[in-house]
């Protein structure tokens, strides 16, 4: 598997990065995890507009899904080559309605489904292209899912947005790369079931015995170096900060 960080800023884009979006490739199959603010522009550095094979939306907050409205335009109004076939999109209940409402002026109430084939995510295990996919609901104010991808004996786990969650620890057990959110700062923000801080992300990785931890979704108001140090204080494995354009081979 190859993971490319398209965007990794939390809550809103920073001057350095678009919001959450991660491209995962294996055997020629391209799966995009989330498409937050600014992600569509950055995605074109790494993948053609019409080269995606599926999209997974962890939840329906704007910083994880809003560029799907722009991507609807890309697929629906394509004149060179004609209308795109429906692309599989996996998201929480109500994803189609949320995106249609956000766009606000689709030609018809069903226009989104003409270019996106929506699948409702629940805690489950299924096959998607070359991947075995495991999804679990995590702790966030809206319905939100973490995802584990397995391929060729290796695994990648992406937390999405979550507070401390035993389910996340289990999903990430022995994972080769744990892409984990760390939006908050330990000792500064203390809001249950919303986001992790750097220390909590490190503790989750330690409990899961993850082999590598990459901190992501760090909000522009959060000092990433503090979160990096906090994670390293409680987790003995390699830890680093996600950055746009960085790739990992798993």
């Amino acid at each position: 598997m190859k993971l490319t960080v398209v965007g990794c800023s939390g809550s809103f884009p920073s001057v350095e990065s678009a919001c959450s979006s991660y491209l995962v490739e294996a055997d020629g199959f391209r799966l995009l995890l989330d498409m937050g603010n600014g992600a569509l522009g950055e995605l074109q550095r790494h993948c053609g507009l019409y080269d995606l094979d599926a999209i997974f939306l962890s939840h329906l907050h704007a910083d994880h899904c809003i560029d799907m409205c722009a991507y609807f335009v890309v697929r629906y109004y394509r004149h060179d080559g004609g209308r795109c076939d429906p692309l599989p999109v996996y998201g929480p209940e109500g994803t189609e309605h949320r995106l249609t409402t956000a766009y606000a002026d689709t030609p018809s109430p069903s226009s989104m489904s003409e270019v996106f084939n929506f699948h409702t995510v629940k805690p489950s295990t299924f096959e998607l292209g070359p991947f075995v996919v495991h999804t679990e609901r995590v702790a966030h104010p809206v319905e939100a899912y973490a995802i584990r991808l397995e391929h060729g004996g290796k695994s990648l786990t992406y937390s999405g947005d979550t507070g401390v969650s035993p389910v996340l620890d289990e999903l990430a057990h022995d994972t080769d790369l744990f892409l984990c959110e760390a939006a908050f700062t330990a000792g500064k923000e203390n809001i249950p079931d919303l986001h992790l801080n750097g220390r909590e992300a490190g503790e989750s990785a330690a409990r899961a015995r993850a082999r590598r931890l990459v901190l992501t979704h760090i909000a522009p108001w959060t000092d990433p170096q503090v979160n990096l140090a906090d994670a390293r204080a409680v987790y003995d494995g390699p830890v680093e900060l996600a950055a746009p354009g960085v790739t990992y081979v798993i």
Side-chain angles (χ1 to χ4, degrees), residues 24-239:
V24 185
E25 302 171 79
D27 295 347
F29 191 95
R30 296 180 176 93
L31 170 63
L32 191 70
L33 308 179
D34 285 338
M35 192 184 280
N37 317 43
L40 183 60
E42 289 299 313
L43 177 64
Q44 294 172 71
R45 299 180 187 274
H46 311 289
C47 177
L49 283 171
Y50 305 103
D51 292 340
L52 291 176
D53 295 292
I55 297 173
F56 169 83
L57 300 176
S58 63
H59 64 293
L60 299 179
H61 280 156
D63 59 325
H64 292 257
C65 73
I66 200 62
D67 266 27
M68 289 291 293
C69 291
Y71 196 45
F72 165 75
V73 173
V74 169
R75 299 186 69 83
Y76 191 89
Y77 294 104
R78 184 179 73 164
H79 297 293
D80 184 13
R83 180 78 53 79
C84 293
D85 291 334
L87 179 74
V89 174
Y90 294 79
E93 183 111 26
T95 294
E96 180 179 3
H97 176 72
R98 179 59 176 265
L99 295 179
T100 301
T101 302
Y103 191 87
D105 191 28
T106 55
S108 78
S110 62
S111 293
M112 283 279 176
S113 62
E114 293 180 42
V115 292
F116 297 133
N117 182 15
F118 291 99
H119 301 263
T120 299
V121 173
K122 295 294 181 185
S124 61
T125 297
F126 58 96
E127 293 185 2
L128 178 58
F131 303 109
V132 176
V133 178
H134 307 275
T135 54
E136 292 289 353
R137 187 166 179 175
V138 288
H140 203 52
V142 299
E143 187 176 359
Y145 291 89
I147 184 170
R148 179 183 177 117
L149 301 173
E150 297 176 348
H151 175 265
K154 300 293 184 178
S155 64
L156 160 67
T157 303
Y158 168 48
S159 68
D161 280 9
T162 182
V164 176
S165 172
V167 170
L168 178 62
D169 298 348
E170 294 169 10
L171 189 68
H173 182 69
D174 282 341
T175 196
D176 292 284
L177 191 150
F178 188 15
L179 182 63
C180 187
E181 77 118 286
F184 285 165
T185 304
K188 180 182 176 185
E189 298 108 337
N190 184 23
I191 307 171
D193 298 336
L194 182 56
H195 289 298
L196 299 171
N197 57 48
R199 183 179 183 87
E200 289 167 338
E203 290 171 340
S204 179
R207 289 190 297 267
R209 295 190 294 181
R211 294 181 177 87
R212 186 176 193 177
L213 174 62
V214 178
L215 302 178
T216 193
H217 195 272
I218 297 178
W221 62 77
T222 298
D223 185 340
Q225 295 303 322
V226 170
N227 282 17
L228 182 62
D230 286 348
R232 284 175 171 164
V234 294
Y235 171 67
D236 292 335
V239 190

